Every structure is written in C-alpha cells, then in structure tokens.
Amino acid sequence: MQTRFLGRSGLEVSVLGFGAMTFGDGQGSFATMGGTHGEDARHQVDMCLDAGVTLFDTADVYSEGLSEEILGEALGTRRKYVVLATKAFGRMGRNAHDMGLSRRHLIEACEASLKRLGTDWIDLYQIHNWDGRVPIEETMRALDDLVTAGKVRYVGCSNYGGWHLMKALAAADKMHQARFIGQQIQYSLMAREAEDELLPCGIDQGVGALIWSPLAQGFLTGKFRKERSEPTRLEQGGGIRAYQTPRGEAVLAAMDTIVAARSGVTHGQVAINWLLRRTGVSSVLIGARGAAQLAENLAAQQWQLSDAEMELLDRASQTRPRYPYSHHRIYGGERNETPFPYYARR
C-alpha cells in the first residue's frame, strides 16, 4: 500500500488508515457505531496489516476507553510496526478536570491512554476538539512536554476551525514547541466544507489531513436511496437523511455511472478513491462492522479514478462557495489556483 508523509514531517502513514471507533462491547453511547471485539477485532487488524495498513486510529472516548484496550490487545507485539494514534478531550469522568484541554487533563488522559493501549508511546496524539475555556498556550505547552518526555512522538488536532488551527500553530511556533503535523477532519463528496479553510491552511502550513467519515455515514455506499419505502435504523437517526437531497441524488447518479463502467467497483470504493486524489490528504480512515465491508474498503486503493471521472464527481458534488471564498474564487482565482487548488472553483 502506498504511504505518504503526514504534513511537513518525517512520519509516514499508509494512504488508508484504520479507524477503531467500531471497537467496543456494543453498549453505551457508541453502541450505534458497532461492538467489534475479541477475535473479530483481531481478524480486522490482521486484514489491515496484511493489506499494508500502518495507521491505526482511536480515541479515549470511544466506548469509554474500551476501543483503545481492544485495539492494543489486537495489535499485541506488532504495535511497534505501526503508527498508533489516539485522541483526548472528551469527558472521561465526573470531575471538573475529566475533560477538556487543560494541562492537568491532557497529561492524565495521555497516561490513561498509554495504559489502555498497552504501549510506552503514542505516535500521534491528537486534540479531539476545540476548548474555548483553556488558553491555547497551555494546551500546546502540555503537548510539547509529553513529546519531550517521550510519551508522544507527534501531535495533531481534530475538528478544529481554520482560525483555531492557525492560532495553535502560531502559539507553538512562538514558543518553539511541537506543532501539529496532522488534522483529522470530516471530508467527503457530501461534506466539502473543509475546502474553504482547513485544507488550504494545511497545505500552506504543512499539516496533513486525515479524513474521517469518508462515506458520509454510509450514504455514499448507495444503500440508502431516498426512494426506499422503509427507513433503515441509520436513516431514522437523521444523519443520512440530511444527504438525501437533489445534490445527494446527483452525486449517487455520478457514482452509478462510474460503477456501471468499471467491473467489480463499488460506490464506497469510488468515494474513498476520490478522496485519495484530493490535494492535502495524507490518509483516509476506514472502519467496518464486519470483515466483508473492511475488505471492500481496503480494495479502494488498488485502482484510481480517471481525470474525467474526478471531474464528473466534482461537478455533481460542488456547492456554492461562501463569502469571502466566493470573492477569492471569482475575483482572484488565477492568483490562488496554483498554491491552493481548492480556491479555483467548487
């Protein structure tokens, strides 16, 4: 499997990474995500390793820490051969310092993740959200101390806004501390908001993008068509219904055309393949409820969409740019297209 450097760093990651949000016991707030554990979890990890996946991502809040435990056990002695990533921010207890990005919580959260993962170090430690109550300088100092202590190799963020990302990078640069090399963001044919700020900022600042929800909660598998008479459990949750619009139908129609023209290709593979060709993307995180679904997703990197197919998907999924990006594209597109391809048009 192809690998890419994560941002402007020396850390190489596979173009497809495994997201372990589905690892758990099938209970609690993450029950709807999945309940993979035991031999099933080990089998999925084996499949990923056999396919060349080197990046494995989880978070402390996934199934209240159980995802980390299951992933650590499934990797076992093979942990040293992979890039292990986890995240911190969410509430892990009832006390005041059991969530957020304070120095106290981050250090305690890191120690707890290390124990659950059964490892001495975390390759990529990511901030899971923005914390408006804690000075960013305190957060970046705590992360830098974890790097200096050898408990963390690199740091990143997730679900930041453009100004959050730039503020954190500026604080780290000012204090000569470890800066983010990756940002884990939502991005897909149905969710292209990251093209406004996050991807251009990442390209400019050397922060690689790790993509979550590449299949738009399953909508881009083509299994949740609007014409279905009975809504599925996922549709009843409301997330997928937000995509069942004329634009969503146009995207699926474009994917139908590609799938019909290529033997053995699925809608999900098309969606993942599109992301692999987007500028600034380092790795796409895939997850699965079962081995068959995982095998299908892993096969997405074995072929490549043509330029004509990329253009077809781009046109079907394009949205109207928001101000001030609309001005950048209309009145300054020729000045921005080369360094920031997303500014040309969408």
Side-chain angles (χ1 to χ4, degrees):
M1 183 178 294
Q2 180 188 359
T3 61
R4 298 172 181 173
F5 287 105
L6 182 56
R8 199 177 298 143
S9 79
L11 185 66
E12 290 188 63
V13 295
S14 51
V15 293
L16 293 183
F18 182 75
M21 182 184 286
T22 54
F23 283 6
D25 58 3
Q27 302 181 30
S29 59
F30 280 86
T32 58
M33 303 298 177
T36 305
H37 60 279
E39 188 58 37
D40 290 336
R42 284 189 290 273
H43 180 52
Q44 289 191 12
V45 169
D46 290 345
M47 290 177 63
C48 288
L49 291 171
D50 290 343
V53 172
T54 63
L55 172 63
F56 291 81
D57 177 80
T58 183
D60 57 3
V61 293
Y62 295 166
S63 296
E64 299 178 344
L66 190 55
S67 173
E68 290 182 322
E69 292 181 15
I70 295 172
L71 178 58
E73 292 174 0
L75 285 170
T77 57
R78 300 170 297 181
R79 181 266 171 273
K80 62 182 178 180
Y81 302 117
V82 306
V83 174
L84 188 55
T86 191
K87 299 180 285 292
F89 169 83
R91 181 164 291 285
M92 295 297 290
R94 297 182 179 181
N95 296 319
H97 292 101
D98 287 340
M99 75 170 298
L101 301 182
S102 68
R103 178 182 182 83
R104 172 169 171 172
H105 177 66
L106 281 178
I107 293 176
E108 290 178 352
C110 182
E111 294 286 359
S113 287
L114 287 168
K115 183 177 181 180
R116 286 190 292 264
L117 288 165
T119 184
D120 294 327
W121 81 96
I122 295 166
D123 293 292
L124 180 63
Y125 199 44
Q126 302 158 107
I127 300 308
H128 212 165
N129 211 328
W130 174 254
D131 189 338
R133 294 186 175 183
V134 176
I136 191 62
E137 292 81 4
E138 177 178 340
T139 297
M140 300 308 293
R141 175 60 184 271
L143 293 174
D144 187 71
D145 285 348
L146 289 172
V147 171
T148 302
K151 297 177 180 181
V152 170
R153 298 292 189 257
Y154 299 89
V155 294
C157 62
S158 180
N159 304 314
Y160 266 30
W163 73 271
H164 300 146
L165 176 59
M166 197 64 237
K167 185 172 183 177
L169 294 172
D173 290 344
K174 180 180 179 180
M175 297 183 288
H176 305 287
Q177 296 170 347
R179 72 196 318 261
F180 295 145
I181 65 165
Q183 55 172 335
Q184 192 170 142
I185 59 176
Q186 179 179 216
Y187 186 38
S188 72
L189 280 163
M190 294 306 299
R192 297 182 61 175
E193 295 86 353
E195 295 177 2
D196 284 339
E197 289 189 346
L198 293 175
L199 285 167
C201 184
I203 294 169
D204 180 68
Q205 293 294 311
V207 181
L210 304 176
I211 308 305
W212 63 265
S213 194
L215 302 182
Q217 300 182 56
F219 175 79
L220 292 173
T221 63
K223 300 176 183 178
F224 305 99
R225 305 276 180 163
K226 191 174 182 180
E227 62 268 17
R228 292 173 65 97
S229 57
E230 293 294 331
T232 65
R233 176 179 55 81
L234 287 174
E235 289 175 300
Q236 291 173 341
I240 288 179
R241 285 192 172 183
Y243 299 130
Q244 293 173 332
T245 62
R247 176 172 170 266
E249 294 172 9
V251 170
L252 291 180
M255 299 175 80
D256 290 341
T257 300
I258 296 172
V259 169
R262 287 179 175 267
S263 176
V265 167
T266 68
H267 289 73
Q269 290 172 350
V270 171
I272 294 170
N273 201 288
W274 179 82
L275 285 166
L276 292 177
R277 289 201 58 188
R278 306 302 284 176
T279 305
V281 172
S282 296
S283 183
V284 177
L285 298 176
I286 58 173
R289 292 175 177 271
Q293 185 183 23
L294 179 58
E296 176 187 330
N297 291 341
L298 287 170
Q301 57 88 36
Q302 296 176 357
W303 58 280
Q304 188 176 82
L305 288 165
S306 67
D307 291 342
E309 290 169 333
M310 288 291 292
E311 178 66 19
L312 177 65
L313 293 169
D314 287 346
R315 287 200 307 269
S317 62
Q318 67 183 354
T319 57
R320 296 180 62 182
R322 299 175 299 172
Y323 176 83
Y325 312 106
S326 55
H327 260 52
H328 300 168
R329 293 183 174 97
I330 294 172
Y331 300 109
E334 73 282 0
R335 304 286 293 185
N336 295 304
E337 182 175 0
T338 301
F340 308 114
Y342 298 111
Y343 272 47
R345 65 185 179 85
R346 190 177 80 210

Short mmCIF file of all heavy atoms in Angstrom, two decimals, residues 131 244 262:
data_model
loop_
_atom_site.label_atom_id
_atom_site.label_comp_id
_atom_site.label_asym_id
_atom_site.label_seq_id
_atom_site.Cartn_x
_atom_site.Cartn_y
_atom_site.Cartn_z
N ASP A 131 -11.21 23.81 22.70
CA ASP A 131 -11.60 24.15 24.07
C ASP A 131 -11.47 25.65 24.24
O ASP A 131 -10.36 26.17 24.41
CB ASP A 131 -10.71 23.41 25.07
CG ASP A 131 -11.22 23.54 26.51
OD1 ASP A 131 -11.98 24.49 26.79
OD2 ASP A 131 -10.86 22.68 27.34
N GLN A 244 -30.01 13.20 1.76
CA GLN A 244 -30.99 12.77 0.77
C GLN A 244 -31.67 13.99 0.15
O GLN A 244 -32.83 14.29 0.40
CB GLN A 244 -32.00 11.82 1.42
CG GLN A 244 -31.36 10.51 1.85
CD GLN A 244 -32.30 9.61 2.64
OE1 GLN A 244 -33.21 10.09 3.31
NE2 GLN A 244 -32.08 8.31 2.57
N ARG A 262 -17.10 0.28 -14.66
CA ARG A 262 -15.94 -0.42 -14.12
C ARG A 262 -16.40 -1.73 -13.47
O ARG A 262 -17.21 -1.72 -12.57
CB ARG A 262 -15.21 0.43 -13.08
CG ARG A 262 -14.42 1.61 -13.66
CD ARG A 262 -13.77 2.39 -12.53
NE ARG A 262 -12.90 3.45 -12.99
CZ ARG A 262 -11.59 3.33 -13.18
NH1 ARG A 262 -11.01 2.16 -12.97
NH2 ARG A 262 -10.86 4.36 -13.58
#
